[in-house]
Amino acid sequence: MEGDGIRCLNKLFRALIVVVILLQCVVNPSLSLGFNNISSAGVTRCFEREREALLAFKLGLVDDYNLLSSWGREEQKQDCCKWVGVHCSNRTNHVTQLDLGWYFLNEAYSLQQKGQPEYPEYYFQGKMMSPKLIELQHLKYLDLSSVNFTGTQLPYFIGSLSNLRHLNLWDTSFGGRFPSQVGNLTRLQYLDLRSNHFANVENMNSWLPRLSSLTYLDLSFNNLSNVPDWLEVVNKLPKLTNLSLSYCSLPSPLIHSSTLFNINSSRSLAHVDLNYNQLTSSIFLWLSKYNATLVHLDLRSNLRSNNFANVKNLNSWLPHLSALTYLDLSYNNLSNVPDWLEIVSKLPKLTNLTLQGCGLPSPVIHSSTLFNINSSKSFAHVDLSSNQLTSSIFLWLSKYNATLVHLDVSYNQLTGLFPDVIGNMSSLAYLDLSSNQFEGMISESHFSGLSRLRSLSLSSTSLTLNFHSTWVPPFQLDSIILGSCKMGPHFPNWLRTQKSYQSLDISNAGISDILPSWFWERLSHAPEIGHVDLSNNQIRGTIPNSQINFVCFSRLLNLSWNQLEGEVPPFLLKASSSLFLSHNKFSGLFSLLFPINASNLRLLDLSSNHLHGELADYWTHFKNLLVLDLSDNLFLGRIPATMGSLSSIQTLNLNNNGLVGELPSSLKNCSSLVVFDVGENKLSGLIPEWLGVGFPNLTILILRSNHFYGSIPSQLCNMGSIQILDFSINSISGSIPKCLNNLTHLALRGSSSLTITHSKSFFTAIDGYDDEASLIWNGIMSKYKSTLGLVKSIHLSSNRLTGEIPSEVTDLVGLISLNLSRNNLTGQITPKIGKLQSLDLLDLSNNQIHGSIPTSLIGISSLGKLDLSNNNLSGKIPLGSQLQPYDTSVFAGNPLLCGIPLEHMCSPKETTLKEKPVVENQDEDNDGFITPGFYVTLGLGFVIGLWGVCGSLIFNRSWRYTYFKLLNGLNDWLYVRVTLFRQRRMLDE
């Protein structure tokens, strides 16, 4: 019996083993008898249908950088589990993860490029998302962040990937209608839809509440201004812990009781980022639900317009957030919260505090503030920059000497000597005291205890750094920003000890020394350096003609405004992407250029040097150049034809040289030009017609002071973006084109920007670039930069132009300056001149203009400079507050003019009332009103009006009776009213 039982159990155990093996074969077909996933080369873990789905998805991508080279059908590529960005389950062999996101591809691209630091704007361009992707039914993780789908619609089938836990579509540029099928992803825990262009994210209520497993949600940089119930929707996610809705234009929500007491809402919200929206104080009521759980709160830039009615009373809500470790209320108006520091000190766990740009008043430091037992003991990050603080703040900061890692109090009203308390902050890694009013001397002792310091910024103060030449700092800095601190006259030798800095700014530091050889060696062996600024010193000597092999293409190197001389060495072209060498004494240019590849150079400024000789024909080496400034030098010869190969160039400034010949026709290939300045040269020939064709962004065109001749081509009227047009001091003849009113930008009043700026996205090392131009204003040549965007002008002076001033020019109502002086213009000043209400300068002097001065001219209230001298103008100068204050020289040389301010007074004949009234758009000087026709019309009107009434009463009996009955009734009513009024007065008396 016992043996039979054992045998029975043994058979049962064997049967269970067989069942388990069969079940595993069903789950994992690779273990089946057919061995479907085994190739001759070994085990292939990838299922064929999933491999084909991935290859179909690859066909929808443009892989310019060949990052998916491991994907394919070749025998050695059969296993899709080994493809870049693909991960399979070790248990089932199904594809569970597809990661083609920005961060993963950064690593892959860096390895492919052997660590070069410059990355493309995007790696893949998405033509379409293949519907075969739904074959990946075991997919749990999908990251396509920064794949550029160029506005295509997110496909509906994305909602069929029912196993997804993680979906990252950040910056994928999807557009169109957002598919509500996303709500089918009920297992989704992480959703990032930042920075897309969906047309209807506002239908959030139809899909978002269905994502009941969601813990992380980021919809930042999507327009949610039409979603008033956004908070109600978010409140329906029971497991949500992280919420980011920054830059969404969120309206302030209405807080209902259902919002506060929704039993399905999350109980453990820890991270809330609502910065840059339009919220009001009502949001605090909702946040109060999470007093015990909220760890991270970012409300930056919501209170700019005082939207928070009770923001002054921070004490009523902020101290209750007892779990808070991170708080950012930057760029909110807290200027009326004098006790802000007392309130912040009541947050026991706070480690990161950012109150940048809040207008904070300097706090009164009480003992309760310093010794509050509930205050945080571990502040690590404090940013109080751009406020109104005084040096008393350091008394409070001294509490955190042992814990403070990041301290930024820049752009305040801090005064006095360098604070001694800084030297006791032993954990400090980041220190920014820039743009304050510190003064005095800093010595080595101030930094002896700061061994962990990594970033130091003391720029725009009056501090003097007095370090011994043999001093070895206890720290290694990543960022050294000391602009306008005095540390000369010798080049600071302690910088030699710094082996890891990425940014160096010692501009305007009073250095009058040569650059040491170790400085160049450091640059050549440090690809991580991105910013070096030594400008505005008196650095002298030459730059060694070194064969240093630079490996970095993303740095700014600024040596402008110094005393450097000799030849510009060619290795500098590879040393940086933005190279500023202006205002020095360089005399030679790139003698060893040809073996150098300068394809990464974006900006080259060599203006205001002593460079001479002909411009060599080598510009094909600079194919990615965006800004080239060679102005104010001594270059001779012709403009090289290879400059036309600069197809990306936006600013080309060759002003004030000795260049000759015609403009090469190859320049018409530079279709991205914004600024083209070849003024003050010896160029000649006709003005090319191609200047008006194919330059949609051309804003400044300066051909001033050359030898151009011929007429102004009518094609130039196509320059819709032109803002400054200067052809003065040439030999241009013919008439002014009547089509000038097609210059649409000049027909708009005002300007959207103070400067003419090139976007930061075009440069890798600088925050954009502001153009500069030399303009003649009031007879004085000046350089304009900070206000160049406000200037709108047409200067055609000192030419041989003939004919009348076209009235169409008055359609350019945005003009600030119009200078047509020193030509041979005839005709009269158009009466429409008064339309140019923005004019600050009008110069029509030294022409042959005749007729009277239009009275509409006195309606231009902004007119500051006027010159009508040396013409044939006649008649009386119109009376008004605008013309009479001018000096007589404005009207001199017009013998037939009379009236104030001239000494020649008008005769009675000249002062008749035939002067025109001041109207803006009058077209004729003869505007008489009383004529014979007027009297005829007056008589006819009297006769018709009189007999229209009296005739009706005479010939129509019923009308006559009715009319007289009405008169009798009115007479009786008036009589009764007067009688009653008299009786009442008698009774009162």
Side-chain angles (χ1 to χ4, degrees), residues 794-841:
I794 293 179
H795 283 206
L796 304 177
S797 63
S798 299
N799 279 288
R800 301 174 182 174
L801 296 171
T802 56
E804 297 186 355
I805 301 173
S807 61
E808 287 79 3
V809 77
T810 61
D811 292 332
L812 307 179
V813 295
L815 271 177
I816 303 293
S817 173
L818 177 61
N819 191 339
L820 305 178
S821 64
R822 293 175 176 80
N823 280 286
N824 298 312
L825 297 172
T826 56
Q828 300 186 28
I829 302 174
T830 172
K832 296 181 181 180
I833 195 70
K835 291 171 62 178
L836 301 179
Q837 289 292 306
S838 300
L839 269 186
D840 177 74
L841 184 150

Short mmCIF file of all heavy atoms in Angstrom, two decimals, residues 794-841:
data_model
loop_
_atom_site.label_atom_id
_atom_site.label_comp_id
_atom_site.label_asym_id
_atom_site.label_seq_id
_atom_site.Cartn_x
_atom_site.Cartn_y
_atom_site.Cartn_z
N ILE A 794 15.28 106.48 -44.60
CA ILE A 794 15.68 106.48 -46.01
C ILE A 794 16.58 107.68 -46.22
O ILE A 794 16.16 108.82 -46.00
CB ILE A 794 14.47 106.56 -46.95
CG1 ILE A 794 13.62 105.29 -46.85
CG2 ILE A 794 14.92 106.77 -48.39
CD1 ILE A 794 12.39 105.32 -47.74
N HIS A 795 17.83 107.43 -46.60
CA HIS A 795 18.81 108.49 -46.84
C HIS A 795 19.31 108.36 -48.28
O HIS A 795 20.01 107.39 -48.61
CB HIS A 795 19.98 108.41 -45.86
CG HIS A 795 19.64 108.93 -44.50
ND1 HIS A 795 20.58 109.44 -43.64
CD2 HIS A 795 18.46 109.06 -43.85
CE1 HIS A 795 20.00 109.83 -42.52
NE2 HIS A 795 18.70 109.61 -42.63
N LEU A 796 18.93 109.32 -49.11
CA LEU A 796 19.36 109.35 -50.52
C LEU A 796 20.10 110.64 -50.82
O LEU A 796 20.19 111.06 -51.98
CB LEU A 796 18.15 109.22 -51.44
CG LEU A 796 17.25 107.98 -51.23
CD1 LEU A 796 16.05 108.03 -52.17
CD2 LEU A 796 18.04 106.70 -51.46
N SER A 797 20.65 111.29 -49.80
CA SER A 797 21.26 112.61 -49.98
C SER A 797 22.55 112.53 -50.79
O SER A 797 23.16 111.47 -50.94
CB SER A 797 21.54 113.23 -48.61
OG SER A 797 22.47 112.45 -47.89
N SER A 798 22.95 113.71 -51.30
CA SER A 798 24.23 113.87 -52.02
C SER A 798 24.34 112.91 -53.19
O SER A 798 25.30 112.14 -53.33
CB SER A 798 25.41 113.68 -51.06
OG SER A 798 25.38 114.64 -50.01
N ASN A 799 23.32 112.96 -54.06
CA ASN A 799 23.34 112.20 -55.31
C ASN A 799 22.94 113.15 -56.44
O ASN A 799 23.06 114.38 -56.30
CB ASN A 799 22.40 111.00 -55.22
CG ASN A 799 23.03 109.83 -54.50
OD1 ASN A 799 23.92 109.17 -55.02
ND2 ASN A 799 22.57 109.57 -53.26
N ARG A 800 22.46 112.61 -57.54
CA ARG A 800 22.04 113.44 -58.69
C ARG A 800 20.60 113.13 -59.06
O ARG A 800 20.23 113.13 -60.24
CB ARG A 800 22.96 113.17 -59.88
CG ARG A 800 24.43 113.47 -59.59
CD ARG A 800 25.34 113.06 -60.73
NE ARG A 800 26.74 113.32 -60.43
CZ ARG A 800 27.76 112.96 -61.22
NH1 ARG A 800 27.51 112.30 -62.36
NH2 ARG A 800 29.00 113.21 -60.87
N LEU A 801 19.79 112.88 -58.07
CA LEU A 801 18.40 112.53 -58.31
C LEU A 801 17.63 113.73 -58.85
O LEU A 801 17.87 114.87 -58.44
CB LEU A 801 17.75 112.04 -57.01
CG LEU A 801 18.34 110.74 -56.44
CD1 LEU A 801 17.78 110.46 -55.05
CD2 LEU A 801 18.05 109.56 -57.36
N THR A 802 16.70 113.44 -59.75
CA THR A 802 15.88 114.49 -60.37
C THR A 802 14.40 114.14 -60.23
O THR A 802 14.05 113.08 -59.72
CB THR A 802 16.24 114.65 -61.85
OG1 THR A 802 16.08 113.38 -62.52
CG2 THR A 802 17.69 115.10 -62.02
N GLY A 803 13.56 115.05 -60.71
CA GLY A 803 12.12 114.81 -60.66
C GLY A 803 11.53 115.21 -59.34
O GLY A 803 12.19 115.78 -58.47
N GLU A 804 10.26 114.92 -59.18
CA GLU A 804 9.54 115.30 -57.97
C GLU A 804 9.69 114.24 -56.88
O GLU A 804 10.00 113.07 -57.16
CB GLU A 804 8.06 115.50 -58.29
CG GLU A 804 7.78 116.63 -59.26
CD GLU A 804 6.28 116.87 -59.43
OE1 GLU A 804 5.49 116.08 -58.85
OE2 GLU A 804 5.91 117.84 -60.11
N ILE A 805 9.46 114.67 -55.66
CA ILE A 805 9.39 113.72 -54.55
C ILE A 805 8.06 113.00 -54.65
O ILE A 805 7.01 113.65 -54.58
CB ILE A 805 9.49 114.43 -53.19
CG1 ILE A 805 10.80 115.20 -53.09
CG2 ILE A 805 9.37 113.43 -52.05
CD1 ILE A 805 10.90 116.08 -51.84
N PRO A 806 8.04 111.69 -54.87
CA PRO A 806 6.75 111.01 -55.08
C PRO A 806 5.88 111.08 -53.82
O PRO A 806 6.36 110.89 -52.70
CB PRO A 806 7.16 109.57 -55.40
CG PRO A 806 8.54 109.42 -54.84
CD PRO A 806 9.18 110.76 -54.93
N SER A 807 4.62 111.34 -54.04
CA SER A 807 3.70 111.43 -52.88
C SER A 807 3.57 110.09 -52.19
O SER A 807 3.18 110.03 -51.01
CB SER A 807 2.33 111.93 -53.34
OG SER A 807 1.75 111.02 -54.28
N GLU A 808 3.91 108.99 -52.89
CA GLU A 808 3.80 107.66 -52.30
C GLU A 808 4.71 107.49 -51.08
O GLU A 808 4.47 106.63 -50.23
CB GLU A 808 4.13 106.58 -53.33
CG GLU A 808 3.09 106.35 -54.40
CD GLU A 808 3.14 107.40 -55.51
OE1 GLU A 808 4.03 108.27 -55.46
OE2 GLU A 808 2.30 107.34 -56.41
N VAL A 809 5.76 108.32 -50.99
CA VAL A 809 6.67 108.20 -49.86
C VAL A 809 5.95 108.51 -48.55
O VAL A 809 6.36 108.05 -47.47
CB VAL A 809 7.90 109.11 -50.05
CG1 VAL A 809 7.56 110.55 -49.77
CG2 VAL A 809 9.07 108.66 -49.18
N THR A 810 4.86 109.26 -48.62
CA THR A 810 4.14 109.61 -47.39
C THR A 810 3.33 108.43 -46.85
O THR A 810 2.76 108.53 -45.76
CB THR A 810 3.19 110.80 -47.64
OG1 THR A 810 2.23 110.45 -48.64
CG2 THR A 810 3.98 112.01 -48.10
N ASP A 811 3.27 107.31 -47.61
CA ASP A 811 2.63 106.10 -47.09
C ASP A 811 3.53 105.37 -46.09
O ASP A 811 3.07 104.49 -45.37
CB ASP A 811 2.26 105.15 -48.22
CG ASP A 811 1.16 105.71 -49.12
OD1 ASP A 811 0.34 106.50 -48.60
OD2 ASP A 811 1.13 105.36 -50.31
N LEU A 812 4.81 105.75 -46.06
CA LEU A 812 5.76 105.10 -45.16
C LEU A 812 5.69 105.77 -43.80
O LEU A 812 6.63 106.44 -43.35
CB LEU A 812 7.18 105.16 -45.75
CG LEU A 812 7.32 104.63 -47.19
CD1 LEU A 812 8.75 104.78 -47.68
CD2 LEU A 812 6.88 103.16 -47.25
N VAL A 813 4.58 105.56 -43.12
CA VAL A 813 4.28 106.32 -41.91
C VAL A 813 5.18 105.94 -40.73
O VAL A 813 5.16 106.60 -39.69
CB VAL A 813 2.80 106.15 -41.52
CG1 VAL A 813 1.90 106.76 -42.57
CG2 VAL A 813 2.46 104.66 -41.31
N GLY A 814 5.96 104.87 -40.87
CA GLY A 814 6.87 104.49 -39.80
C GLY A 814 8.21 105.18 -39.87
O GLY A 814 9.04 105.02 -38.96
N LEU A 815 8.46 105.96 -40.92
CA LEU A 815 9.76 106.61 -41.11
C LEU A 815 10.11 107.53 -39.93
O LEU A 815 9.30 108.36 -39.51
CB LEU A 815 9.77 107.43 -42.39
CG LEU A 815 10.20 106.71 -43.69
CD1 LEU A 815 10.08 107.67 -44.87
CD2 LEU A 815 11.61 106.16 -43.59
N ILE A 816 11.34 107.38 -39.45
CA ILE A 816 11.87 108.26 -38.41
C ILE A 816 12.74 109.35 -39.05
O ILE A 816 12.80 110.48 -38.55
CB ILE A 816 12.71 107.46 -37.40
CG1 ILE A 816 11.88 106.33 -36.79
CG2 ILE A 816 13.28 108.36 -36.31
CD1 ILE A 816 10.76 106.79 -35.92
N SER A 817 13.38 108.99 -40.16
CA SER A 817 14.30 109.92 -40.80
C SER A 817 14.15 109.83 -42.32
O SER A 817 14.17 108.73 -42.88
CB SER A 817 15.75 109.61 -40.39
OG SER A 817 16.66 110.38 -41.11
N LEU A 818 14.01 110.99 -42.97
CA LEU A 818 13.95 111.07 -44.43
C LEU A 818 14.89 112.17 -44.87
O LEU A 818 14.67 113.35 -44.59
CB LEU A 818 12.52 111.36 -44.89
CG LEU A 818 12.33 111.55 -46.40
CD1 LEU A 818 12.71 110.28 -47.16
CD2 LEU A 818 10.88 111.94 -46.72
N ASN A 819 15.96 111.78 -45.55
CA ASN A 819 16.98 112.73 -45.98
C ASN A 819 17.16 112.62 -47.49
O ASN A 819 17.70 111.64 -48.00
CB ASN A 819 18.31 112.44 -45.28
CG ASN A 819 19.33 113.55 -45.48
OD1 ASN A 819 19.22 114.34 -46.43
ND2 ASN A 819 20.32 113.62 -44.62
N LEU A 820 16.66 113.65 -48.22
CA LEU A 820 16.77 113.72 -49.68
C LEU A 820 17.59 114.93 -50.11
O LEU A 820 17.49 115.39 -51.25
CB LEU A 820 15.38 113.79 -50.31
CG LEU A 820 14.40 112.67 -49.91
CD1 LEU A 820 13.04 112.90 -50.56
CD2 LEU A 820 14.95 111.30 -50.31
N SER A 821 18.40 115.46 -49.22
CA SER A 821 19.12 116.71 -49.47
C SER A 821 20.21 116.53 -50.53
O SER A 821 20.61 115.42 -50.86
CB SER A 821 19.75 117.21 -48.17
OG SER A 821 20.71 116.29 -47.69
N ARG A 822 20.66 117.68 -51.06
CA ARG A 822 21.80 117.74 -51.99
C ARG A 822 21.57 116.86 -53.22
O ARG A 822 22.37 116.01 -53.57
CB ARG A 822 23.10 117.35 -51.28
CG ARG A 822 23.51 118.37 -50.22
CD ARG A 822 24.73 117.93 -49.44
NE ARG A 822 25.15 118.98 -48.52
CZ ARG A 822 24.59 119.23 -47.34
NH1 ARG A 822 23.59 118.48 -46.92
NH2 ARG A 822 25.02 120.22 -46.57
N ASN A 823 20.43 117.07 -53.85
CA ASN A 823 20.11 116.44 -55.12
C ASN A 823 19.61 117.52 -56.08
O ASN A 823 19.82 118.73 -55.83
CB ASN A 823 19.05 115.34 -54.92
CG ASN A 823 19.65 114.05 -54.40
OD1 ASN A 823 20.31 113.33 -55.12
ND2 ASN A 823 19.42 113.76 -53.11
N ASN A 824 18.96 117.12 -57.15
CA ASN A 824 18.39 118.07 -58.11
C ASN A 824 16.88 117.89 -58.20
O ASN A 824 16.30 117.96 -59.29
CB ASN A 824 19.04 117.89 -59.49
CG ASN A 824 20.53 118.16 -59.46
OD1 ASN A 824 20.97 119.17 -58.92
ND2 ASN A 824 21.31 117.26 -60.04
N LEU A 825 16.26 117.64 -57.07
CA LEU A 825 14.83 117.38 -57.04
C LEU A 825 14.05 118.66 -57.31
O LEU A 825 14.44 119.75 -56.88
CB LEU A 825 14.43 116.80 -55.68
CG LEU A 825 15.05 115.45 -55.33
CD1 LEU A 825 14.74 115.06 -53.89
CD2 LEU A 825 14.57 114.37 -56.29
N THR A 826 12.95 118.51 -58.03
CA THR A 826 12.10 119.66 -58.39
C THR A 826 10.68 119.39 -57.89
O THR A 826 10.44 118.47 -57.12
CB THR A 826 12.10 119.86 -59.91
OG1 THR A 826 11.68 118.64 -60.55
CG2 THR A 826 13.49 120.23 -60.41
N GLY A 827 9.75 120.23 -58.38
CA GLY A 827 8.36 120.07 -57.97
C GLY A 827 8.11 120.66 -56.60
O GLY A 827 8.93 121.42 -56.05
N GLN A 828 6.97 120.33 -56.03
CA GLN A 828 6.56 120.88 -54.75
C GLN A 828 6.62 119.81 -53.66
O GLN A 828 6.62 118.61 -53.95
CB GLN A 828 5.14 121.45 -54.85
CG GLN A 828 4.97 122.55 -55.87
CD GLN A 828 3.60 123.17 -55.81
OE1 GLN A 828 2.95 123.18 -54.76
NE2 GLN A 828 3.12 123.70 -56.93
N ILE A 829 6.67 120.28 -52.43
CA ILE A 829 6.56 119.35 -51.30
C ILE A 829 5.11 118.89 -51.23
O ILE A 829 4.20 119.72 -51.16
CB ILE A 829 6.97 120.03 -49.98
CG1 ILE A 829 8.41 120.56 -50.07
CG2 ILE A 829 6.84 119.05 -48.81
CD1 ILE A 829 8.83 121.36 -48.85
N THR A 830 4.90 117.60 -51.27
CA THR A 830 3.53 117.09 -51.29
C THR A 830 2.77 117.53 -50.05
O THR A 830 3.29 117.47 -48.92
CB THR A 830 3.53 115.55 -51.39
OG1 THR A 830 2.20 115.07 -51.22
CG2 THR A 830 4.41 114.92 -50.33
N PRO A 831 1.52 117.99 -50.23
CA PRO A 831 0.71 118.38 -49.07
C PRO A 831 0.45 117.22 -48.10
O PRO A 831 0.08 117.44 -46.95
CB PRO A 831 -0.61 118.84 -49.70
CG PRO A 831 -0.25 119.21 -51.10
CD PRO A 831 0.82 118.26 -51.51
N LYS A 832 0.69 115.96 -48.55
CA LYS A 832 0.47 114.80 -47.69
C LYS A 832 1.62 114.56 -46.72
O LYS A 832 1.61 113.58 -45.98
CB LYS A 832 0.27 113.56 -48.55
CG LYS A 832 -0.97 113.58 -49.42
CD LYS A 832 -1.09 112.29 -50.21
CE LYS A 832 -2.32 112.28 -51.11
NZ LYS A 832 -2.43 111.01 -51.86
N ILE A 833 2.62 115.41 -46.71
CA ILE A 833 3.80 115.20 -45.88
C ILE A 833 3.42 115.06 -44.40
O ILE A 833 4.13 114.42 -43.62
CB ILE A 833 4.81 116.37 -46.08
CG1 ILE A 833 6.19 116.01 -45.51
CG2 ILE A 833 4.27 117.65 -45.50
CD1 ILE A 833 6.92 114.97 -46.28
N GLY A 834 2.29 115.63 -44.03
CA GLY A 834 1.85 115.56 -42.64
C GLY A 834 1.47 114.16 -42.18
O GLY A 834 1.30 113.92 -40.98
N LYS A 835 1.35 113.22 -43.10
CA LYS A 835 1.04 111.84 -42.72
C LYS A 835 2.20 111.18 -41.99
O LYS A 835 2.02 110.22 -41.25
CB LYS A 835 0.69 111.01 -43.96
CG LYS A 835 -0.62 111.38 -44.61
CD LYS A 835 -0.81 110.67 -45.94
CE LYS A 835 -0.86 109.17 -45.81
NZ LYS A 835 -1.09 108.49 -47.09
N LEU A 836 3.42 111.70 -42.21
CA LEU A 836 4.61 111.10 -41.61
C LEU A 836 4.75 111.56 -40.15
O LEU A 836 5.66 112.30 -39.79
CB LEU A 836 5.86 111.45 -42.43
CG LEU A 836 5.82 111.01 -43.90
CD1 LEU A 836 7.09 111.45 -44.62
CD2 LEU A 836 5.64 109.50 -44.01
N GLN A 837 3.85 111.10 -39.32
CA GLN A 837 3.76 111.57 -37.94
C GLN A 837 4.90 111.07 -37.06
O GLN A 837 5.09 111.57 -35.96
CB GLN A 837 2.43 111.12 -37.33
CG GLN A 837 1.22 111.85 -37.89
CD GLN A 837 1.21 113.31 -37.48
OE1 GLN A 837 1.29 113.64 -36.31
NE2 GLN A 837 1.12 114.20 -38.46
N SER A 838 5.70 110.09 -37.52
CA SER A 838 6.80 109.56 -36.72
C SER A 838 8.12 110.24 -37.02
O SER A 838 9.14 109.94 -36.38
CB SER A 838 6.94 108.05 -36.95
OG SER A 838 5.77 107.36 -36.59
N LEU A 839 8.13 111.16 -37.98
CA LEU A 839 9.39 111.77 -38.42
C LEU A 839 10.07 112.54 -37.28
O LEU A 839 9.46 113.36 -36.60
CB LEU A 839 9.14 112.74 -39.57
CG LEU A 839 9.23 112.19 -41.00
CD1 LEU A 839 9.11 113.33 -42.00
CD2 LEU A 839 10.51 111.42 -41.24
N ASP A 840 11.36 112.24 -37.13
CA ASP A 840 12.20 113.03 -36.24
C ASP A 840 13.14 113.91 -37.05
O ASP A 840 13.55 114.98 -36.59
CB ASP A 840 13.01 112.11 -35.32
CG ASP A 840 13.95 112.88 -34.42
OD1 ASP A 840 13.47 113.50 -33.46
OD2 ASP A 840 15.18 112.85 -34.68
N LEU A 841 13.49 113.48 -38.27
CA LEU A 841 14.41 114.23 -39.12
C LEU A 841 13.86 114.30 -40.53
O LEU A 841 13.52 113.26 -41.12
CB LEU A 841 15.80 113.58 -39.11
CG LEU A 841 16.91 114.29 -39.88
CD1 LEU A 841 18.27 114.01 -39.23
CD2 LEU A 841 16.99 113.86 -41.35
#
